[in-house]
Amino acid sequence: MSAQTEQTINSEATAAPPPNPRIQSWKNFYKKLAKNKAAMVGLSLIIFFIVVALIGPYFTTHDPYEPNVMNKLAEPSAEHWFGTDHHGRDIFTRIIHGMSITLYVGFFSVVLGAIVGVILGVVSGYYGRLVDTVIMRIMDVLLAFPGILLALAIISILGGSINNVIIAVGIFSIPVFARIVRGSTLAVRKLEYIDAVKALGASDARIIFKHILPNVLSPIIVQGTLSIATSILTASALSFLGLGAQPPIPEWGAMLSDGRNYMYDAPHVALFPGLAIVVVVLAFNIFGDGLRDALDPKSKN
């Protein structure tokens, strides 16, 4: 064997293995997402909010529940960064403690709506005919009600509490996920490789979980991100109306409701909870828009 041949064999043996397609796909996705500066700002804010919700309460110096009537409606200062409310409680501390409540309601209400909606959407799109007709007509009935009115009706039946808000917001999120997943399932079901898998004797469950669901994840992820913003707004609205979190829980919508009585004398009581809601909702919306662009196969690299 010549020296040149031996060198060629050794170089081929030590050559880098071909890139993993899944890893390469994630790299391409991140490159697309990173090009959208607004989406990266939204992602950074979301990560910041999650970190604050997890560890922020351990670093606050005031009790979010303990009233101090001698210091009520105090303006923002070095001791009370966002001032105090009508009970003398530190608003900054209450906003930090309320962040975990807001994210908890937003995430879990969307998870509830997504799980049920995805199941109904896949079943409806895959089996079609009578199953599709029955499921979609039920979804149409739910969509006929404005989201906030449907949530109000559910809360009126279940009663006002954080968990009931999650149920109410989750229920009105179901039709959106169901319709999106149904449309994607109808498109994937018509592909030739699905017919080939059926011909090989694969069960319906295997086809749905292994071949259909992975192909409809993109719209689910995008809709889930955008739905979190809607859920936070709806939960805050319910608490503002007194049907969500009950006093003295530091939920932002309830804090905003308390502050409306002092708009002229102490506007900071309503200003800072309102700004917190706006910033969180905006972060999820712009990140969701960036996700939609990054996951769109038709978008340019």
Side-chain angles (χ1 to χ4, degrees):
M1 181 182 297
S2 65
Q4 184 177 0
T5 305
E6 184 177 354
Q7 184 178 1
T8 302
I9 295 175
N10 291 335
S11 62
E12 291 177 353
T14 57
N20 189 316
R22 184 171 297 180
I23 296 177
Q24 191 64 34
S25 176
W26 277 105
K27 287 182 178 179
N28 293 335
F29 162 73
Y30 180 76
K31 287 180 180 178
K32 285 185 178 181
L33 184 63
K35 290 180 180 179
N36 190 325
K37 302 302 180 183
M40 295 306 293
V41 171
L43 176 60
S44 300
L45 286 173
I46 291 171
I47 294 174
F48 172 74
F49 295 144
I50 293 174
V51 171
V52 171
L54 292 175
I55 67 175
Y58 297 102
F59 293 94
T60 53
T61 57
H62 298 278
D63 190 326
Y65 300 101
E66 186 66 28
N68 182 3
V69 294
M70 300 300 294
N71 197 31
K72 64 180 182 179
L73 301 179
E75 296 182 353
S77 62
E79 182 180 359
H80 303 284
W81 292 357
F82 291 173
T84 62
D85 63 8
H86 57 297
H87 290 300
R89 299 170 298 196
D90 184 70
I91 295 177
F92 176 77
T93 300
R94 288 176 63 78
I95 287 178
I96 296 298
H97 283 258
M99 190 171 294
S100 59
I101 299 173
T102 298
L103 295 181
Y104 169 76
V105 173
F107 279 113
F108 282 95
S109 59
V110 170
V111 168
L112 174 62
I115 290 175
V116 179
V118 168
I119 293 174
L120 293 177
V122 169
V123 170
S124 177
Y126 183 78
Y127 290 102
R129 298 184 179 180
L130 180 61
V131 174
D132 182 32
T133 301
V134 172
I135 293 177
M136 285 299 104
R137 296 299 75 79
I138 295 174
M139 297 300 103
D140 289 340
V141 171
L142 292 178
L143 285 172
F145 295 92
I148 186 65
L149 292 182
L150 181 60
L152 281 171
I154 297 170
I155 286 293
S156 300
I157 297 172
L158 300 179
S161 71
I162 292 292
N163 291 331
N164 288 343
V165 167
I166 292 175
I167 295 173
V169 176
I171 289 175
F172 90 70
S173 300
I174 291 173
V176 178
F177 285 100
R179 291 180 71 89
I180 291 175
V181 174
R182 173 185 177 269
S184 299
T185 302
L186 288 173
V188 174
R189 190 187 66 175
K190 297 177 181 178
L191 298 177
E192 293 180 356
Y193 85 93
I194 296 294
D195 294 332
V197 172
K198 285 183 179 179
L200 292 174
S203 64
D204 290 343
R206 180 179 178 83
I207 294 173
I208 289 174
F209 286 102
K210 189 172 182 180
H211 300 284
I212 292 181
L213 278 180
N215 287 289
V216 301
L217 278 181
S218 294
I220 295 173
I221 294 172
V222 173
Q223 183 58 43
T225 306
L226 295 173
S227 293
I228 291 176
T230 304
S231 299
I232 290 174
L233 272 179
T234 305
S236 298
L238 291 172
S239 296
F240 182 86
L241 296 174
L243 297 174
Q246 301 300 309
I249 296 175
E251 202 277 334
W252 294 349
M255 293 172 64
L256 189 61
S257 178
D258 292 337
R260 64 179 172 172
N261 299 320
Y262 307 96
M263 290 292 293
Y264 296 103
D265 299 329
H268 63 273
V269 179
L271 174 63
F272 292 108
L275 284 177
I277 295 172
V278 169
V279 173
V280 170
V281 171
L282 181 62
F284 278 103
N285 276 331
I286 60 178
F287 178 60
D289 288 338
L291 271 182
R292 180 168 50 200
D293 295 338
L295 292 172
D296 185 2
K298 298 179 181 179
S299 65
K300 296 181 181 180
N301 294 332

PDB file of all heavy atoms in Angstrom, residues 154-191:
ATOM      1  N   ILE A 154     -68.504  30.788  32.495  1.00  0.00           N
ATOM      2  CA  ILE A 154     -67.921  29.635  33.185  1.00  0.00           C
ATOM      3  C   ILE A 154     -67.554  29.991  34.617  1.00  0.00           C
ATOM      4  O   ILE A 154     -67.816  29.223  35.560  1.00  0.00           O
ATOM      5  CB  ILE A 154     -66.689  29.124  32.415  1.00  0.00           C
ATOM      6  CG1 ILE A 154     -67.105  28.623  31.023  1.00  0.00           C
ATOM      7  CG2 ILE A 154     -65.987  28.010  33.179  1.00  0.00           C
ATOM      8  CD1 ILE A 154     -65.941  28.314  30.110  1.00  0.00           C
ATOM      9  N   ILE A 155     -66.962  31.171  34.808  1.00  0.00           N
ATOM     10  CA  ILE A 155     -66.585  31.607  36.158  1.00  0.00           C
ATOM     11  C   ILE A 155     -67.826  31.800  37.028  1.00  0.00           C
ATOM     12  O   ILE A 155     -67.814  31.512  38.227  1.00  0.00           O
ATOM     13  CB  ILE A 155     -65.773  32.917  36.085  1.00  0.00           C
ATOM     14  CG1 ILE A 155     -64.361  32.634  35.581  1.00  0.00           C
ATOM     15  CG2 ILE A 155     -65.697  33.597  37.443  1.00  0.00           C
ATOM     16  CD1 ILE A 155     -63.519  31.814  36.527  1.00  0.00           C
ATOM     17  N   SER A 156     -68.909  32.288  36.419  1.00  0.00           N
ATOM     18  CA  SER A 156     -70.147  32.471  37.181  1.00  0.00           C
ATOM     19  C   SER A 156     -70.676  31.143  37.711  1.00  0.00           C
ATOM     20  O   SER A 156     -71.285  31.075  38.784  1.00  0.00           O
ATOM     21  CB  SER A 156     -71.207  33.138  36.296  1.00  0.00           C
ATOM     22  OG  SER A 156     -70.770  34.403  35.853  1.00  0.00           O
ATOM     23  N   ILE A 157     -70.430  30.077  36.949  1.00  0.00           N
ATOM     24  CA  ILE A 157     -70.875  28.749  37.381  1.00  0.00           C
ATOM     25  C   ILE A 157     -69.917  28.144  38.400  1.00  0.00           C
ATOM     26  O   ILE A 157     -70.344  27.606  39.430  1.00  0.00           O
ATOM     27  CB  ILE A 157     -71.007  27.812  36.162  1.00  0.00           C
ATOM     28  CG1 ILE A 157     -72.079  28.336  35.204  1.00  0.00           C
ATOM     29  CG2 ILE A 157     -71.329  26.388  36.606  1.00  0.00           C
ATOM     30  CD1 ILE A 157     -72.147  27.585  33.883  1.00  0.00           C
ATOM     31  N   LEU A 158     -68.615  28.259  38.149  1.00  0.00           N
ATOM     32  CA  LEU A 158     -67.618  27.606  38.992  1.00  0.00           C
ATOM     33  C   LEU A 158     -67.254  28.419  40.222  1.00  0.00           C
ATOM     34  O   LEU A 158     -66.835  27.856  41.239  1.00  0.00           O
ATOM     35  CB  LEU A 158     -66.343  27.335  38.171  1.00  0.00           C
ATOM     36  CG  LEU A 158     -66.496  26.434  36.944  1.00  0.00           C
ATOM     37  CD1 LEU A 158     -65.165  26.294  36.228  1.00  0.00           C
ATOM     38  CD2 LEU A 158     -67.019  25.062  37.347  1.00  0.00           C
ATOM     39  N   GLY A 159     -67.369  29.758  40.131  1.00  0.00           N
ATOM     40  CA  GLY A 159     -66.950  30.619  41.235  1.00  0.00           C
ATOM     41  C   GLY A 159     -65.583  31.224  40.965  1.00  0.00           C
ATOM     42  O   GLY A 159     -64.810  30.719  40.146  1.00  0.00           O
ATOM     43  N   GLY A 160     -65.299  32.306  41.637  1.00  0.00           N
ATOM     44  CA  GLY A 160     -64.062  33.034  41.399  1.00  0.00           C
ATOM     45  C   GLY A 160     -62.875  32.453  42.152  1.00  0.00           C
ATOM     46  O   GLY A 160     -62.895  32.374  43.375  1.00  0.00           O
ATOM     47  N   SER A 161     -61.844  32.026  41.419  1.00  0.00           N
ATOM     48  CA  SER A 161     -60.590  31.558  42.002  1.00  0.00           C
ATOM     49  C   SER A 161     -59.572  31.431  40.878  1.00  0.00           C
ATOM     50  O   SER A 161     -59.934  31.433  39.697  1.00  0.00           O
ATOM     51  CB  SER A 161     -60.754  30.211  42.718  1.00  0.00           C
ATOM     52  OG  SER A 161     -60.965  29.173  41.789  1.00  0.00           O
ATOM     53  N   ILE A 162     -58.303  31.312  41.244  1.00  0.00           N
ATOM     54  CA  ILE A 162     -57.246  31.199  40.245  1.00  0.00           C
ATOM     55  C   ILE A 162     -57.437  29.947  39.389  1.00  0.00           C
ATOM     56  O   ILE A 162     -57.360  29.992  38.149  1.00  0.00           O
ATOM     57  CB  ILE A 162     -55.859  31.173  40.915  1.00  0.00           C
ATOM     58  CG1 ILE A 162     -55.553  32.527  41.557  1.00  0.00           C
ATOM     59  CG2 ILE A 162     -54.776  30.820  39.905  1.00  0.00           C
ATOM     60  CD1 ILE A 162     -55.363  33.642  40.571  1.00  0.00           C
ATOM     61  N   ASN A 163     -57.688  28.818  40.017  1.00  0.00           N
ATOM     62  CA  ASN A 163     -57.840  27.561  39.265  1.00  0.00           C
ATOM     63  C   ASN A 163     -59.060  27.579  38.354  1.00  0.00           C
ATOM     64  O   ASN A 163     -59.027  27.025  37.246  1.00  0.00           O
ATOM     65  CB  ASN A 163     -57.913  26.382  40.229  1.00  0.00           C
ATOM     66  CG  ASN A 163     -56.589  26.119  40.925  1.00  0.00           C
ATOM     67  OD1 ASN A 163     -55.522  26.393  40.375  1.00  0.00           O
ATOM     68  ND2 ASN A 163     -56.635  25.596  42.144  1.00  0.00           N
ATOM     69  N   ASN A 164     -60.131  28.212  38.815  1.00  0.00           N
ATOM     70  CA  ASN A 164     -61.318  28.308  37.962  1.00  0.00           C
ATOM     71  C   ASN A 164     -61.080  29.241  36.768  1.00  0.00           C
ATOM     72  O   ASN A 164     -61.646  29.039  35.695  1.00  0.00           O
ATOM     73  CB  ASN A 164     -62.516  28.792  38.779  1.00  0.00           C
ATOM     74  CG  ASN A 164     -63.027  27.736  39.743  1.00  0.00           C
ATOM     75  OD1 ASN A 164     -62.708  26.552  39.604  1.00  0.00           O
ATOM     76  ND2 ASN A 164     -63.788  28.145  40.732  1.00  0.00           N
ATOM     77  N   VAL A 165     -60.254  30.260  36.966  1.00  0.00           N
ATOM     78  CA  VAL A 165     -59.869  31.127  35.847  1.00  0.00           C
ATOM     79  C   VAL A 165     -59.102  30.316  34.801  1.00  0.00           C
ATOM     80  O   VAL A 165     -59.312  30.468  33.593  1.00  0.00           O
ATOM     81  CB  VAL A 165     -59.026  32.318  36.340  1.00  0.00           C
ATOM     82  CG1 VAL A 165     -58.369  33.038  35.170  1.00  0.00           C
ATOM     83  CG2 VAL A 165     -59.890  33.290  37.129  1.00  0.00           C
ATOM     84  N   ILE A 166     -58.202  29.454  35.257  1.00  0.00           N
ATOM     85  CA  ILE A 166     -57.446  28.605  34.330  1.00  0.00           C
ATOM     86  C   ILE A 166     -58.400  27.721  33.529  1.00  0.00           C
ATOM     87  O   ILE A 166     -58.255  27.569  32.311  1.00  0.00           O
ATOM     88  CB  ILE A 166     -56.432  27.743  35.105  1.00  0.00           C
ATOM     89  CG1 ILE A 166     -55.332  28.632  35.703  1.00  0.00           C
ATOM     90  CG2 ILE A 166     -55.820  26.671  34.207  1.00  0.00           C
ATOM     91  CD1 ILE A 166     -54.354  27.891  36.582  1.00  0.00           C
ATOM     92  N   ILE A 167     -59.380  27.134  34.201  1.00  0.00           N
ATOM     93  CA  ILE A 167     -60.353  26.282  33.506  1.00  0.00           C
ATOM     94  C   ILE A 167     -61.145  27.088  32.492  1.00  0.00           C
ATOM     95  O   ILE A 167     -61.328  26.668  31.338  1.00  0.00           O
ATOM     96  CB  ILE A 167     -61.293  25.607  34.525  1.00  0.00           C
ATOM     97  CG1 ILE A 167     -60.503  24.639  35.413  1.00  0.00           C
ATOM     98  CG2 ILE A 167     -62.426  24.876  33.809  1.00  0.00           C
ATOM     99  CD1 ILE A 167     -61.310  24.055  36.561  1.00  0.00           C
ATOM    100  N   ALA A 168     -61.624  28.269  32.905  1.00  0.00           N
ATOM    101  CA  ALA A 168     -62.442  29.099  32.021  1.00  0.00           C
ATOM    102  C   ALA A 168     -61.657  29.553  30.798  1.00  0.00           C
ATOM    103  O   ALA A 168     -62.129  29.441  29.656  1.00  0.00           O
ATOM    104  CB  ALA A 168     -62.971  30.311  32.793  1.00  0.00           C
ATOM    105  N   VAL A 169     -60.446  30.045  31.011  1.00  0.00           N
ATOM    106  CA  VAL A 169     -59.627  30.522  29.889  1.00  0.00           C
ATOM    107  C   VAL A 169     -59.208  29.346  29.009  1.00  0.00           C
ATOM    108  O   VAL A 169     -59.156  29.459  27.781  1.00  0.00           O
ATOM    109  CB  VAL A 169     -58.396  31.284  30.414  1.00  0.00           C
ATOM    110  CG1 VAL A 169     -57.494  31.704  29.259  1.00  0.00           C
ATOM    111  CG2 VAL A 169     -58.831  32.517  31.199  1.00  0.00           C
ATOM    112  N   GLY A 170     -58.922  28.201  29.625  1.00  0.00           N
ATOM    113  CA  GLY A 170     -58.550  27.016  28.853  1.00  0.00           C
ATOM    114  C   GLY A 170     -59.670  26.549  27.951  1.00  0.00           C
ATOM    115  O   GLY A 170     -59.437  26.163  26.798  1.00  0.00           O
ATOM    116  N   ILE A 171     -60.917  26.606  28.446  1.00  0.00           N
ATOM    117  CA  ILE A 171     -62.060  26.142  27.651  1.00  0.00           C
ATOM    118  C   ILE A 171     -62.262  27.015  26.420  1.00  0.00           C
ATOM    119  O   ILE A 171     -62.500  26.502  25.316  1.00  0.00           O
ATOM    120  CB  ILE A 171     -63.332  26.099  28.520  1.00  0.00           C
ATOM    121  CG1 ILE A 171     -63.233  24.941  29.530  1.00  0.00           C
ATOM    122  CG2 ILE A 171     -64.580  25.939  27.656  1.00  0.00           C
ATOM    123  CD1 ILE A 171     -64.383  24.877  30.512  1.00  0.00           C
ATOM    124  N   PHE A 172     -62.147  28.333  26.573  1.00  0.00           N
ATOM    125  CA  PHE A 172     -62.381  29.157  25.392  1.00  0.00           C
ATOM    126  C   PHE A 172     -61.175  29.147  24.445  1.00  0.00           C
ATOM    127  O   PHE A 172     -61.278  29.640  23.314  1.00  0.00           O
ATOM    128  CB  PHE A 172     -62.819  30.582  25.776  1.00  0.00           C
ATOM    129  CG  PHE A 172     -61.720  31.590  25.949  1.00  0.00           C
ATOM    130  CD1 PHE A 172     -60.990  32.071  24.871  1.00  0.00           C
ATOM    131  CD2 PHE A 172     -61.434  32.112  27.198  1.00  0.00           C
ATOM    132  CE1 PHE A 172     -59.995  33.028  25.026  1.00  0.00           C
ATOM    133  CE2 PHE A 172     -60.445  33.061  27.366  1.00  0.00           C
ATOM    134  CZ  PHE A 172     -59.730  33.520  26.272  1.00  0.00           C
ATOM    135  N   SER A 173     -60.042  28.550  24.878  1.00  0.00           N
ATOM    136  CA  SER A 173     -58.892  28.388  23.982  1.00  0.00           C
ATOM    137  C   SER A 173     -58.993  27.121  23.140  1.00  0.00           C
ATOM    138  O   SER A 173     -58.304  26.993  22.116  1.00  0.00           O
ATOM    139  CB  SER A 173     -57.591  28.345  24.791  1.00  0.00           C
ATOM    140  OG  SER A 173     -57.402  29.524  25.538  1.00  0.00           O
ATOM    141  N   ILE A 174     -59.829  26.180  23.555  1.00  0.00           N
ATOM    142  CA  ILE A 174     -59.922  24.889  22.870  1.00  0.00           C
ATOM    143  C   ILE A 174     -60.281  25.012  21.394  1.00  0.00           C
ATOM    144  O   ILE A 174     -59.625  24.408  20.535  1.00  0.00           O
ATOM    145  CB  ILE A 174     -60.918  23.965  23.607  1.00  0.00           C
ATOM    146  CG1 ILE A 174     -60.344  23.552  24.963  1.00  0.00           C
ATOM    147  CG2 ILE A 174     -61.243  22.732  22.767  1.00  0.00           C
ATOM    148  CD1 ILE A 174     -61.322  22.773  25.834  1.00  0.00           C
ATOM    149  N   PRO A 175     -61.329  25.781  21.013  1.00  0.00           N
ATOM    150  CA  PRO A 175     -61.717  25.815  19.593  1.00  0.00           C
ATOM    151  C   PRO A 175     -60.618  26.326  18.666  1.00  0.00           C
ATOM    152  O   PRO A 175     -60.507  25.848  17.531  1.00  0.00           O
ATOM    153  CB  PRO A 175     -62.925  26.760  19.592  1.00  0.00           C
ATOM    154  CG  PRO A 175     -63.446  26.751  20.978  1.00  0.00           C
ATOM    155  CD  PRO A 175     -62.260  26.562  21.849  1.00  0.00           C
ATOM    156  N   VAL A 176     -59.814  27.270  19.130  1.00  0.00           N
ATOM    157  CA  VAL A 176     -58.757  27.822  18.284  1.00  0.00           C
ATOM    158  C   VAL A 176     -57.743  26.733  17.941  1.00  0.00           C
ATOM    159  O   VAL A 176     -57.362  26.546  16.773  1.00  0.00           O
ATOM    160  CB  VAL A 176     -58.068  28.999  18.994  1.00  0.00           C
ATOM    161  CG1 VAL A 176     -56.936  29.550  18.127  1.00  0.00           C
ATOM    162  CG2 VAL A 176     -59.075  30.092  19.312  1.00  0.00           C
ATOM    163  N   PHE A 177     -57.292  25.998  18.955  1.00  0.00           N
ATOM    164  CA  PHE A 177     -56.337  24.909  18.711  1.00  0.00           C
ATOM    165  C   PHE A 177     -56.962  23.809  17.864  1.00  0.00           C
ATOM    166  O   PHE A 177     -56.312  23.245  16.973  1.00  0.00           O
ATOM    167  CB  PHE A 177     -55.847  24.334  20.039  1.00  0.00           C
ATOM    168  CG  PHE A 177     -54.857  25.202  20.750  1.00  0.00           C
ATOM    169  CD1 PHE A 177     -55.253  26.023  21.790  1.00  0.00           C
ATOM    170  CD2 PHE A 177     -53.515  25.207  20.390  1.00  0.00           C
ATOM    171  CE1 PHE A 177     -54.344  26.829  22.454  1.00  0.00           C
ATOM    172  CE2 PHE A 177     -52.588  26.007  21.036  1.00  0.00           C
ATOM    173  CZ  PHE A 177     -53.010  26.827  22.073  1.00  0.00           C
ATOM    174  N   ALA A 178     -58.215  23.488  18.148  1.00  0.00           N
ATOM    175  CA  ALA A 178     -58.877  22.403  17.414  1.00  0.00           C
ATOM    176  C   ALA A 178     -58.961  22.720  15.920  1.00  0.00           C
ATOM    177  O   ALA A 178     -58.686  21.861  15.074  1.00  0.00           O
ATOM    178  CB  ALA A 178     -60.268  22.156  17.988  1.00  0.00           C
ATOM    179  N   ARG A 179     -59.316  23.937  15.563  1.00  0.00           N
ATOM    180  CA  ARG A 179     -59.466  24.294  14.155  1.00  0.00           C
ATOM    181  C   ARG A 179     -58.108  24.326  13.444  1.00  0.00           C
ATOM    182  O   ARG A 179     -57.986  23.892  12.295  1.00  0.00           O
ATOM    183  CB  ARG A 179     -60.170  25.648  14.022  1.00  0.00           C
ATOM    184  CG  ARG A 179     -61.631  25.599  14.451  1.00  0.00           C
ATOM    185  CD  ARG A 179     -62.279  26.950  14.310  1.00  0.00           C
ATOM    186  NE  ARG A 179     -62.480  27.297  12.910  1.00  0.00           N
ATOM    187  CZ  ARG A 179     -63.558  26.990  12.210  1.00  0.00           C
ATOM    188  NH1 ARG A 179     -64.549  26.306  12.781  1.00  0.00           N
ATOM    189  NH2 ARG A 179     -63.676  27.348  10.949  1.00  0.00           N
ATOM    190  N   ILE A 180     -57.093  24.859  14.124  1.00  0.00           N
ATOM    191  CA  ILE A 180     -55.757  24.911  13.522  1.00  0.00           C
ATOM    192  C   ILE A 180     -55.222  23.505  13.273  1.00  0.00           C
ATOM    193  O   ILE A 180     -54.705  23.193  12.187  1.00  0.00           O
ATOM    194  CB  ILE A 180     -54.795  25.712  14.421  1.00  0.00           C
ATOM    195  CG1 ILE A 180     -55.179  27.191  14.408  1.00  0.00           C
ATOM    196  CG2 ILE A 180     -53.346  25.530  13.977  1.00  0.00           C
ATOM    197  CD1 ILE A 180     -54.374  28.030  15.362  1.00  0.00           C
ATOM    198  N   VAL A 181     -55.332  22.637  14.282  1.00  0.00           N
ATOM    199  CA  VAL A 181     -54.812  21.277  14.157  1.00  0.00           C
ATOM    200  C   VAL A 181     -55.622  20.479  13.150  1.00  0.00           C
ATOM    201  O   VAL A 181     -55.067  19.667  12.388  1.00  0.00           O
ATOM    202  CB  VAL A 181     -54.799  20.584  15.534  1.00  0.00           C
ATOM    203  CG1 VAL A 181     -54.391  19.125  15.406  1.00  0.00           C
ATOM    204  CG2 VAL A 181     -53.845  21.307  16.476  1.00  0.00           C
ATOM    205  N   ARG A 182     -56.909  20.691  13.100  1.00  0.00           N
ATOM    206  CA  ARG A 182     -57.737  19.984  12.110  1.00  0.00           C
ATOM    207  C   ARG A 182     -57.293  20.326  10.693  1.00  0.00           C
ATOM    208  O   ARG A 182     -57.136  19.430   9.842  1.00  0.00           O
ATOM    209  CB  ARG A 182     -59.207  20.352  12.289  1.00  0.00           C
ATOM    210  CG  ARG A 182     -60.125  19.793  11.195  1.00  0.00           C
ATOM    211  CD  ARG A 182     -61.546  20.294  11.363  1.00  0.00           C
ATOM    212  NE  ARG A 182     -62.401  19.816  10.277  1.00  0.00           N
ATOM    213  CZ  ARG A 182     -62.605  20.474   9.133  1.00  0.00           C
ATOM    214  NH1 ARG A 182     -61.992  21.639   8.921  1.00  0.00           N
ATOM    215  NH2 ARG A 182     -63.404  19.980   8.206  1.00  0.00           N
ATOM    216  N   GLY A 183     -57.087  21.615  10.418  1.00  0.00           N
ATOM    217  CA  GLY A 183     -56.655  22.013   9.084  1.00  0.00           C
ATOM    218  C   GLY A 183     -55.310  21.417   8.705  1.00  0.00           C
ATOM    219  O   GLY A 183     -55.124  20.934   7.583  1.00  0.00           O
ATOM    220  N   SER A 184     -54.369  21.423   9.655  1.00  0.00           N
ATOM    221  CA  SER A 184     -53.048  20.851   9.385  1.00  0.00           C
ATOM    222  C   SER A 184     -53.131  19.342   9.213  1.00  0.00           C
ATOM    223  O   SER A 184     -52.443  18.765   8.361  1.00  0.00           O
ATOM    224  CB  SER A 184     -52.089  21.194  10.531  1.00  0.00           C
ATOM    225  OG  SER A 184     -51.940  22.592  10.670  1.00  0.00           O
ATOM    226  N   THR A 185     -53.993  18.696   9.989  1.00  0.00           N
ATOM    227  CA  THR A 185     -54.150  17.246   9.886  1.00  0.00           C
ATOM    228  C   THR A 185     -54.750  16.854   8.545  1.00  0.00           C
ATOM    229  O   THR A 185     -54.336  15.859   7.924  1.00  0.00           O
ATOM    230  CB  THR A 185     -55.036  16.715  11.026  1.00  0.00           C
ATOM    231  OG1 THR A 185     -54.459  17.065  12.283  1.00  0.00           O
ATOM    232  CG2 THR A 185     -55.191  15.206  10.950  1.00  0.00           C
ATOM    233  N   LEU A 186     -55.711  17.617   8.059  1.00  0.00           N
ATOM    234  CA  LEU A 186     -56.304  17.332   6.752  1.00  0.00           C
ATOM    235  C   LEU A 186     -55.259  17.403   5.644  1.00  0.00           C
ATOM    236  O   LEU A 186     -55.261  16.594   4.710  1.00  0.00           O
ATOM    237  CB  LEU A 186     -57.435  18.326   6.462  1.00  0.00           C
ATOM    238  CG  LEU A 186     -58.731  18.146   7.263  1.00  0.00           C
ATOM    239  CD1 LEU A 186     -59.685  19.297   6.980  1.00  0.00           C
ATOM    240  CD2 LEU A 186     -59.393  16.817   6.921  1.00  0.00           C
ATOM    241  N   ALA A 187     -54.345  18.374   5.767  1.00  0.00           N
ATOM    242  CA  ALA A 187     -53.303  18.518   4.746  1.00  0.00           C
ATOM    243  C   ALA A 187     -52.309  17.361   4.801  1.00  0.00           C
ATOM    244  O   ALA A 187     -51.908  16.817   3.769  1.00  0.00           O
ATOM    245  CB  ALA A 187     -52.583  19.849   4.931  1.00  0.00           C
ATOM    246  N   VAL A 188     -51.906  16.967   6.015  1.00  0.00           N
ATOM    247  CA  VAL A 188     -50.919  15.894   6.163  1.00  0.00           C
ATOM    248  C   VAL A 188     -51.523  14.550   5.802  1.00  0.00           C
ATOM    249  O   VAL A 188     -50.855  13.689   5.204  1.00  0.00           O
ATOM    250  CB  VAL A 188     -50.371  15.868   7.608  1.00  0.00           C
ATOM    251  CG1 VAL A 188     -49.448  14.669   7.811  1.00  0.00           C
ATOM    252  CG2 VAL A 188     -49.630  17.161   7.908  1.00  0.00           C
ATOM    253  N   ARG A 189     -52.804  14.338   6.107  1.00  0.00           N
ATOM    254  CA  ARG A 189     -53.460  13.051   5.863  1.00  0.00           C
ATOM    255  C   ARG A 189     -53.496  12.700   4.385  1.00  0.00           C
ATOM    256  O   ARG A 189     -53.515  11.517   4.018  1.00  0.00           O
ATOM    257  CB  ARG A 189     -54.884  13.098   6.423  1.00  0.00           C
ATOM    258  CG  ARG A 189     -55.597  11.760   6.450  1.00  0.00           C
ATOM    259  CD  ARG A 189     -57.040  11.927   6.843  1.00  0.00           C
ATOM    260  NE  ARG A 189     -57.786  12.667   5.831  1.00  0.00           N
ATOM    261  CZ  ARG A 189     -59.110  12.884   5.881  1.00  0.00           C
ATOM    262  NH1 ARG A 189     -59.804  12.441   6.917  1.00  0.00           N
ATOM    263  NH2 ARG A 189     -59.715  13.566   4.920  1.00  0.00           N
ATOM    264  N   LYS A 190     -53.476  13.715   3.529  1.00  0.00           N
ATOM    265  CA  LYS A 190     -53.562  13.489   2.090  1.00  0.00           C
ATOM    266  C   LYS A 190     -52.212  13.170   1.443  1.00  0.00           C
ATOM    267  O   LYS A 190     -52.162  12.874   0.249  1.00  0.00           O
ATOM    268  CB  LYS A 190     -54.176  14.715   1.410  1.00  0.00           C
ATOM    269  CG  LYS A 190     -55.606  15.003   1.837  1.00  0.00           C
ATOM    270  CD  LYS A 190     -56.126  16.276   1.176  1.00  0.00           C
ATOM    271  CE  LYS A 190     -57.551  16.578   1.637  1.00  0.00           C
ATOM    272  NZ  LYS A 190     -58.065  17.846   1.029  1.00  0.00           N
ATOM    273  N   LEU A 191     -51.135  13.240   2.206  1.00  0.00           N
ATOM    274  CA  LEU A 191     -49.812  12.981   1.646  1.00  0.00           C
ATOM    275  C   LEU A 191     -49.658  11.492   1.318  1.00  0.00           C
ATOM    276  O   LEU A 191     -50.242  10.628   1.979  1.00  0.00           O
ATOM    277  CB  LEU A 191     -48.729  13.426   2.623  1.00  0.00           C
ATOM    278  CG  LEU A 191     -48.711  14.920   2.951  1.00  0.00           C
ATOM    279  CD1 LEU A 191     -47.631  15.223   3.981  1.00  0.00           C
ATOM    280  CD2 LEU A 191     -48.502  15.753   1.689  1.00  0.00           C
TER     281      LEU A 191
END
